Amino acid sequence: MSSTTVNFNLKTAGFANYANQTLSFKLLQVSADKADDTVILPGIITATSAANGTGSVALFTTGESDIESTFEVTFPNREKGLFQIPATSAGGSINLSDLLVDHVPGGSAAPQNSIYDAAVAYSVQRANHTGSLTLDSLPNGSITGTLAVANGGTNASSASAARTSLGAQEQKDVLDDLGALSAPASDGQIIVATGTGAFNYESGATARTSLGAQEQKDVLDDLGALSAPASDGQFIVATEAGTFQYESAATARTSLGLGTISTQASNSVNIDGGAIDGAVIGANSAAAGTFAALTSTSINVSDGNITNAGDINCDSISSDAAATGLNIIFDGTDTGDNGITITDNLANALDIKEASVSYLKFTTTNGGEKVVLGKDLDISGDHDLIIGTSTGTKIGTAATQKIGFFNATPAVQQTAAALTTGTSAGSGTALHANATITGNVGSTAYTVGDIVKALKTLGLLAE
């Protein structure tokens, strides 16, 4: 038993690939093969086209007789065609297009039976898309079923279903009203609804009023007078002379007063002069900034540091959190680096106080410079009060100033009062003016005159 491979390539009317379409091949006559005692009965074989519209199918070929195998092919759109497979192609391949053109059944090689005759009669009307199919021979008959839209039908059995299938609308009253219009009186008339269930014609001017549109007039005429633009990105601008012209992007920016900032990249903007009002700088991504001078009503550095600063002029310095307090660190490493400089010739150049109570005040009045203690001076621990050795230091600068020692009531400088009360006669060695006394401390002995002189010299007794 022999077979022939039939190749096909399906295209649409627009010569596009007819993909995934099924073809049916029907053997129209009984055939036999003597070599293997096989009888081949009429039947149908199908084949499907690939994405590019091509495909193939193996069909029986009568290679041992003068009667060629005759097939009927049914295409996806239900069109049919007849062809015979020549015996010479047995075991090989042939194109379906060659079979339909060069191997149409006829002559002594065609089989003769009722199935074949009916197929030939049908193919005379349907094959190769020629001729007409009429229904005049069906008196009092009918055709049942539906015909797909792709095959020229409506895919419906009623008028309403056909309109739905075809996406059409029923005529009804609107088309009747349009049909009642007379022929237009002039070119350019427009059909509009009258609001009374009818239609009439309107001129262009009336239609523009109905649409709220404007007439072309001179502006569009002037625009129409422009030549084709010479380059990409040109702008149309007025010339103040009643016409329009093209401007380059740079010229248009100048016309709009945009300046050079309009051409700067968003991540590389250089602003020279002007003012920035009501803007937060660094809200999304803070970065370092450089300023020649900064004027601000307040600065919050979010617990950051202010470094590399010169002179800071301010009214007051206070701690950010009372619980943390304020620590002023003088961390100069060389002698003389750290200091607090106050103003000269002021009665109160610097005052350390709590509320209105002064604790330590510095007076820089020329000739009257001094440090005034407003509270007790507590020298706790074993510490000394070191005095200078040149001019010396006075404790009390006037005889009326009061001094007390060892918790005694402070008193002014004492004067001679010739007191005799409170004395008692001794019972031992008599005391003479030239007698010396050591007080049993050390070896230096003093007369009474030495003691009086020392007390006067130190200011404890008046001279």
Side-chain angles (χ1 to χ4, degrees), residues 5-85:
T5 300
V6 177
N7 302 314
F8 56 87
N9 188 353
L10 300 182
K11 303 291 183 183
T12 66
F15 210 69
N17 295 329
Y18 214 172
N20 304 317
Q21 300 298 315
T22 300
L23 283 70
S24 298
F25 298 87
K26 181 178 181 181
L27 179 63
L28 296 181
Q29 83 279 0
V30 176
S31 300
D33 189 333
K34 294 187 296 181
D36 56 6
D37 195 21
T38 301
V39 176
I40 308 301
L41 299 179
I44 296 176
I45 301 173
T46 61
T48 302
S49 63
N52 61 357
T54 62
S56 62
V57 62
L59 300 179
F60 171 75
T61 302
T62 304
E64 301 175 355
S65 68
D66 294 333
I67 303 300
E68 298 179 341
S69 300
T70 303
F71 284 86
E72 177 187 67
V73 57
T74 303
F75 293 97
N77 63 353
R78 312 313 298 171
E79 292 289 339
K80 297 181 179 182
L82 292 176
F83 63 85
Q84 291 176 323
I85 301 179

Side-chain angles (χ1 to χ4, degrees), residues 364-435:
T364 60
T365 304
N366 294 337
E369 292 87 347
K370 58 185 174 180
V371 177
V372 179
L373 290 176
K375 292 294 182 179
D376 294 341
L377 177 61
D378 185 352
I379 304 177
S380 299
D382 299 327
H383 299 290
D384 299 326
L385 184 62
I386 301 172
I387 307 300
T389 60
S390 57
T391 302
T393 302
K394 296 179 180 180
I395 300 177
T397 59
T400 56
Q401 296 176 358
K402 295 181 178 182
I403 298 175
F405 294 94
F406 303 108
N407 204 31
T409 302
V412 298
Q413 188 183 58
Q414 299 299 298
T415 60
L419 293 176
T420 59
T421 60
T423 61
S424 61
S427 61
T429 303
L431 181 63
H432 299 280
N434 60 351

Side-chain angles (χ1 to χ4, degrees), residues 106-129:
S108 60
Q112 304 297 322
N113 58 39
S114 58
I115 297 177
Y116 169 76
D117 292 341
V120 170
Y122 183 79
S123 66
V124 169
Q125 296 178 339
R126 299 287 291 170
N128 301 324
H129 301 277

